[in-house]
Amino acid sequence: MAISRLGDNMAFEYINKNGDRKPKIKPNIENLSNFKKDFNWEEVFEEIPWLPGGGLNNAYVCIDSHVDSGNGNNVAMIWNGKNDEEETYTFNDLKVHTDKFANVLKELGVCKGDRVFVFMDRLPECYISVFGGLKIGAIVGPLFSAFGPDPVKDRMVDSEAKILVTQPELRKKIEGIIPDLPDLEKIIVVNKNNRTDDPLVDDDLSYEDLMSSTIPIESIENTSQYDYSIMHYTSGTTGKPKGALHRHQSIVQQYATGKWALDFQKDDIYWCTADPGWVTGTSYGMFAPWSSGITQIIYEGGFSASKWYSVIEKYNVNVWYTAPTAIRMLMKAGEAPIKKNDLSSLRFIASVGEPLNPEAVVWGNENYGMPIHDNWWQTETGAIMCANLSSMQIRPGSMGLPIPGIELAILDKDLKRLPPNEPGILAVKPGWPSQFFAYWKNDERYNSRFKRGWYITGDEAFMDEDGYFWFQGRSDDVINTAGHLVSPFEVESALIEHKAVAEAGVIGIPDKLAMEVVKAFVSLNNGFEWSKELRLELMKFSRGKLSSAVAPRDIDYVEIMPKTRSGKIMRRLLKARELGLPEGDTSTLEDD
Ligand code: ATP
Ligand code: MG
């Protein structure tokens, strides 16, 4: 069976300016369930290209297989540097570079299973290093370049990484922790376009020198589908980040979901705004698009609404995968920068990482002419599990339907299935292809996630009668007030519908009578100032939208919402600050 987008003949539901939902073409959900019933992952396993030696290697699927099938001249990556440099790499080019880098690592004594960490900005060499490492069977750990020394140290020490590939400014930033990394053998420094004079210190090796003196590797390591490929630390939203290990076979689900949930089509130009330091930036910023052979835009710079729109216009981006935090910032920037650019190339927009407020879905429809498709997954799941597909009726605020081959369920405390519309624990039937297979050196933690035949996600949700899943919150975040279970997300979504509110974070405060009461923190849109009157207005507004049992008992102002570096609101930090408790692990907290 050839994996294609699900249901070309189906359409999503449009929402008009008044928020009315008007299906353009009747969605064909039945068709989707037929597909699910017959679906077997083995079909996708058969469809992806295996190594000539019989094994499975992500680098072969994503790069060399296109060369072998005669598509090596297709463009894999267009890089737009922060100084507006531009470089284009075909699949042939990527093969040449990654073959060489694989050999560089081999000559340095890196063996299958060794950890190679990459601490780099979104430079082409970051991608080359990751795939070069995969080609020799190393376990590659991408690190977010905005990390300070401590988060890098924690991850490098925990993973016992042998090699670090980095760049001069980042090397300098972490200088102080290098002596504390007992397993680190070599640092390879990439001096992109000679941006730095004298880039090398101590025994560091120059990437450029190593690459110019090496030869391409003879063959890709014949890794099995079960060999580890990528090691990603989680975002640290709920506590200390965990090192989730993935296997080469994850590519099967990444490949299929690229087509289904991100609507990849031949000749698409795709832009994933996530950094490779987070799982979205590898699963969907490397593996999914390149396993489908499409062109990716890699934009090195940071967020700016006008710059982002100009990237879409300049490169004619068709498919755009981003995150709620970015969408909220784009909403804050408003219509003006949208009008200055031609965004007509866009065909499909999707979001992941946090709940996507219904307001944002409607806003996308009004401002981009298409809704934003929310999908749900985690570092641990390795790939998209639940999604609003292009072919479905979108329900704003819902994470959509489980993708074919994935079983999700809502369970009660005793891990029994709950009927529709009852919130509970979101669980997955284990055995999906991109499942993580360990937390590095933490079997106890890993085992604790699997109970009575289910993988416990740590999230709470409910499923409606039609099988759509609706996120309620993290298990730790759900608020129990006077016997009601309150979803912080629902309260936050109500608050951001107010024109003054840019972002909202909602927590439960211990209370003698009610057990917990709901408290909200808001940051404001430009042009609004915090005042007693605004506080009262927001209290009234939220009571009007929610029942008084659910509406916040108190609302406070924060200038900057505490967020992880991957952009998620850190409710646990709001709570710790409010209650004067220790802040716990803040290694992934975004700088103010
Ligand atoms: P940690 O596990 O360290 O606390 P984290 O859970 O934020 O951090 P990730 O694996 O990056 O680390 O994030 C996955 C989580 O993000 C999900 O479990 C869920 O809570 C949230 N999430 C992802 N996508 C969505 C979505 N579409 N809607 C709601 N929540 C989402
Ligand atoms: Mg998590």
Side-chain angles (χ1 to χ4, degrees):
M1 182 194 69
I3 291 295
S4 59
R5 296 176 307 129
L6 282 182
D8 287 335
N9 57 342
M10 299 185 266
F12 51 74
E13 185 187 39
Y14 280 99
I15 311 131
N16 69 15
K17 287 237 178 224
N18 305 323
D20 300 330
R21 299 208 229 129
K22 288 234 174 81
K24 269 211 144 176
I25 306 171
K26 205 172 175 314
N28 190 347
I29 294 179
E30 205 181 48
N31 193 346
L32 188 64
S33 43
N34 284 343
F35 187 83
K36 260 161 82 174
K37 236 187 305 171
D38 302 341
F39 182 74
N40 186 341
W41 280 113
E42 271 174 32
E43 296 168 8
V44 196
F45 271 92
E46 275 167 27
E47 188 170 324
I48 53 159
W50 291 65
L51 285 167
L56 185 62
N57 188 292
N58 287 358
Y60 182 74
V61 179
C62 292
I63 300 175
D64 295 38
S65 72
H66 303 301
V67 176
D68 289 353
S69 63
N71 293 313
N73 284 327
N74 290 356
V75 174
M77 154 163 73
I78 303 174
W79 176 69
N80 185 188
K82 65 177 177 198
N83 307 322
D84 230 11
E85 309 99 306
E86 199 175 275
E87 291 176 8
T88 299
Y89 293 75
T90 62
F91 287 100
N92 280 334
D93 297 331
L94 283 186
K95 175 169 164 54
V96 170
H97 290 290
T98 53
D99 277 355
K100 281 168 75 177
F101 193 67
N103 206 45
V104 163
L105 291 174
K106 196 171 171 193
E107 283 169 347
L108 290 173
V110 179
C111 299
K112 184 174 163 187
D114 284 345
R115 272 77 59 212
V116 170
F117 270 54
V118 180
F119 181 43
M120 239 190 272
D121 288 331
R122 287 182 295 276
L123 299 176
E125 290 71 12
C126 168
Y127 297 77
I128 292 165
S129 305
V130 169
F131 283 99
L134 293 173
K135 281 192 166 178
I136 57 160
I139 300 175
V140 183
L143 293 168
F144 188 34
S145 62
F147 278 153
D150 287 351
V152 174
K153 178 176 155 184
D154 286 351
R155 289 160 179 76
M156 296 280 295
V157 169
D158 185 60
S159 63
E160 300 155 307
K162 212 166 159 177
I163 302 280
L164 180 66
V165 193
T166 186
Q167 62 197 68
E169 324 81 273
L170 300 181
R171 161 72 163 96
K172 191 147 194 274
K173 180 161 77 170
I174 58 162
E175 202 167 39
I177 59 140
I178 304 286
D180 305 333
L181 306 177
D183 303 290
L184 182 65
E185 291 176 9
K186 281 290 169 216
I187 301 180
I188 301 175
V189 177
V190 174
N191 189 14
K192 183 71 188 167
N193 297 344
N194 291 315
R195 283 177 182 173
T196 308
D197 300 331
D198 300 326
L200 300 180
V201 288
D202 302 337
D203 298 333
D204 291 0
L205 301 169
S206 153
Y207 172 90
E208 291 78 16
D209 289 353
L210 291 167
M211 289 290 270
S212 63
S213 60
T214 196
I215 51 164
I217 199 163
E218 264 175 38
S219 61
I220 295 180
E221 177 75 31
N222 192 25
T223 43
S224 94
Q225 66 191 86
Y226 306 116
D227 282 327
Y228 289 131
S229 52
I230 286 279
M231 175 169 179
H232 255 301
Y233 284 83
T234 58
S235 294
T237 315
T238 52
K240 199 171 170 52
K242 305 158 285 261
L245 276 156
H246 286 280
R247 312 194 299 187
H248 280 273
Q249 68 171 33
S250 297
I251 195 79
V252 166
Q253 195 172 332
Q254 291 154 352
Y255 166 73
T257 50
K259 303 248 195 272
W260 298 335
L262 300 181
D263 199 48
F264 289 165
Q265 299 182 33
K266 197 174 163 293
D267 303 329
D268 265 346
I269 310 281
Y270 165 69
W271 183 28
C272 170
T273 62
D275 190 272
W278 307 110
V279 73
T280 309
T282 51
S283 292
Y284 293 94
M286 296 184 184
F287 304 132
W290 284 343
S291 59
S292 271
I294 63 168
T295 305
Q296 289 210 77
I297 303 303
I298 308 294
Y299 169 59
E300 188 190 0
F303 177 84
S304 129
S306 54
K307 183 68 206 181
W308 275 31
Y309 291 138
S310 72
V311 167
I312 294 173
E313 174 174 333
K314 181 169 183 196
Y315 297 107
N316 292 308
V317 172
N318 310 120
V319 179
W320 185 26
Y321 195 20
T322 188
T325 186
I327 294 164
R328 287 191 299 260
M329 288 195 276
L330 291 167
M331 287 168 75
K332 197 169 171 177
E335 273 180 30
I338 299 178
K339 291 207 167 119
K340 284 203 195 110
N341 291 278
D342 176 4
L343 305 182
S344 59
S345 58
L346 280 176
R347 186 188 74 244
F348 189 83
I349 311 176
S351 158
V352 71
E354 267 195 304
L356 181 66
N357 313 87
E359 169 87 356
V361 180
V362 175
W363 184 86
N365 210 38
E366 283 169 2
N367 289 276
Y368 303 134
M370 68 198 80
I372 299 167
H373 298 73
D374 187 21
N375 54 58
W376 176 92
W377 58 292
Q378 311 179 300
T379 307
E380 291 87 342
T381 70
I384 295 171
M385 305 293 273
C386 188
N388 288 282
L389 308 179
S390 66
S391 51
M392 293 168 26
Q393 178 176 21
I394 287 190
R395 300 191 176 174
S398 160
M399 322 189 284
L401 297 170
I403 60 152
I406 296 296
E407 186 179 346
L408 298 184
I410 304 295
L411 308 177
D412 68 11
K413 281 201 301 294
D414 301 321
L415 306 180
K416 301 230 170 63
R417 269 182 206 265
L418 282 166
N421 296 321
E422 288 202 27
I425 297 164
L426 176 65
V428 188
K429 185 64 79 194
W432 68 97
S434 61
Q435 185 177 321
F436 76 129
F437 254 77
Y439 283 133
W440 184 256
K441 293 195 300 191
N442 201 341
D443 288 346
E444 203 181 321
R445 184 100 197 226
Y446 174 78
N447 291 331
S448 75
R449 301 296 294 261
F450 295 87
K451 289 184 187 147
R452 292 208 206 142
W454 291 104
Y455 164 69
I456 309 297
T457 64
D459 289 339
E460 306 248 322
F462 70 87
M463 186 185 77
D464 66 21
E465 294 89 355
D466 299 321
Y468 282 69
F469 282 77
W470 300 75
F471 185 81
Q472 292 285 283
R474 311 275 187 149
S475 296
D476 298 346
D477 287 346
V478 173
I479 302 161
N480 188 342
T481 182
H484 302 283
L485 284 183
V486 175
S487 147
F489 167 60
E490 206 180 333
V491 181
E492 289 160 9
S493 289
L495 281 165
I496 71 163
E497 280 185 48
H498 190 281
K499 60 182 185 308
V501 178
E503 290 194 298
V506 167
I507 59 168
I509 307 276
D511 182 84
K512 273 198 191 124
L513 278 181
M515 191 151 144
E516 283 184 299
V517 291
V518 178
K519 172 152 190 181
F521 295 85
V522 293
S523 66
L524 301 181
N525 277 321
N526 298 337
F528 291 92
E529 271 194 33
W530 187 241
S531 64
K532 269 197 228 144
E533 291 72 31
L534 181 56
R535 177 177 169 277
L536 287 177
E537 190 184 317
L538 290 177
M539 303 271 282
K540 204 169 143 215
F541 179 80
S542 54
R543 248 179 264 134
K545 298 233 149 239
L546 307 157
S547 72
S548 56
V550 171
R553 191 75 71 78
D554 189 12
I555 302 180
D556 235 336
Y557 166 73
V558 281
E559 197 183 333
I560 294 164
M561 196 59 70
K563 275 190 251 161
T564 62
R565 289 190 174 276
S566 50
K568 297 160 190 247
I569 295 171
M570 274 170 126
R571 296 180 190 83
R572 71 174 161 98
L573 218 62
L574 286 171
K575 193 159 177 169
R577 286 175 183 173
E578 175 70 16
L579 302 178
L581 300 171
E583 295 198 350
D585 186 288
T586 51
S587 64
T588 60
L589 179 68
E590 203 176 50
D591 292 336
D592 289 351

